Amino acid sequence: MQKKTFSDINCAIAQTLEQIGDGWTLLILRNAFHRMRHFDQFQENLGIPTNTLSNRLKKLTESGILERRPCAHDKRAFEYRLTDKGLDLYPVIVTLFQWGERWYSQPDGPRLELIEKATDIPIPEVKVRGADGNALHAREVKVVVGPGGGEHATDLVKHHG
């Protein structure tokens, strides 16, 4: 039987997946970062079934990633805006975007480019960086159990080597 929830796993990644680990949810977040705000905009752009969209927006709102509020120009309609918690997901979305462009690129070049507004220069690739600012690869990072870690974290670190 397939696991339907990650809520009982004491792991930061599992807890994050519980909130945003669905393909539709990630695409909704992508669109929110592109300043899409209205239900009909999400639905039209993604071609997502309305009940699926409604469920994902509700979950994102309940988890504090999006905020639902009345539209400024039409008080009968609502818009969805990223909260500070949601904005903190930007590096995650950018990393997924850059990975996808690297490994599933189009022959004619990138589908979109991310340009820094202040300089008009493309942003660099998101990397894990050490204290000196140099990029680190996975083999250059060691994992240790933190004060909030439990048995699951200890088992995971055992296999990290």
Side-chain angles (χ1 to χ4, degrees), residues 124-137 140-141:
E125 188 176 359
V126 175
K127 295 280 189 181
V128 172
R129 301 204 177 272
D132 61 2
N134 289 327
L136 297 173
H137 297 283
E140 298 174 294
V141 176

Side-chain angles (χ1 to χ4, degrees), residues 22-39 42-43 45-46 48-49 52-58 60 65-66 80 82 93:
D22 166 86
W24 284 122
T25 301
L26 290 169
L27 291 173
I28 290 165
L29 288 170
R30 175 204 63 187
N31 286 12
F33 279 109
H34 290 295
R35 306 216 177 19
M36 206 168 278
R37 308 221 188 291
H38 304 283
F39 187 96
F42 289 115
Q43 203 284 319
N45 180 268
L46 296 172
I48 182 174
T52 303
L53 177 58
S54 182
N55 290 337
R56 298 312 186 280
L57 288 171
K58 182 179 179 190
L60 286 166
I65 293 169
L66 290 178
Y80 295 88
L82 291 157
I93 297 298

Side-chain angles (χ1 to χ4, degrees), residues 114-128:
L114 302 175
I115 308 295
E116 184 179 353
K117 286 181 183 181
T119 63
D120 216 27
I121 297 172
I123 67 165
E125 188 176 359
V126 175
K127 295 280 189 181
V128 172

Side-chain angles (χ1 to χ4, degrees), residues 9-22:
I9 300 174
N10 184 18
C11 165
I13 293 174
Q15 297 302 304
T16 302
L17 288 172
E18 187 68 21
Q19 301 304 313
I20 65 164
D22 166 86

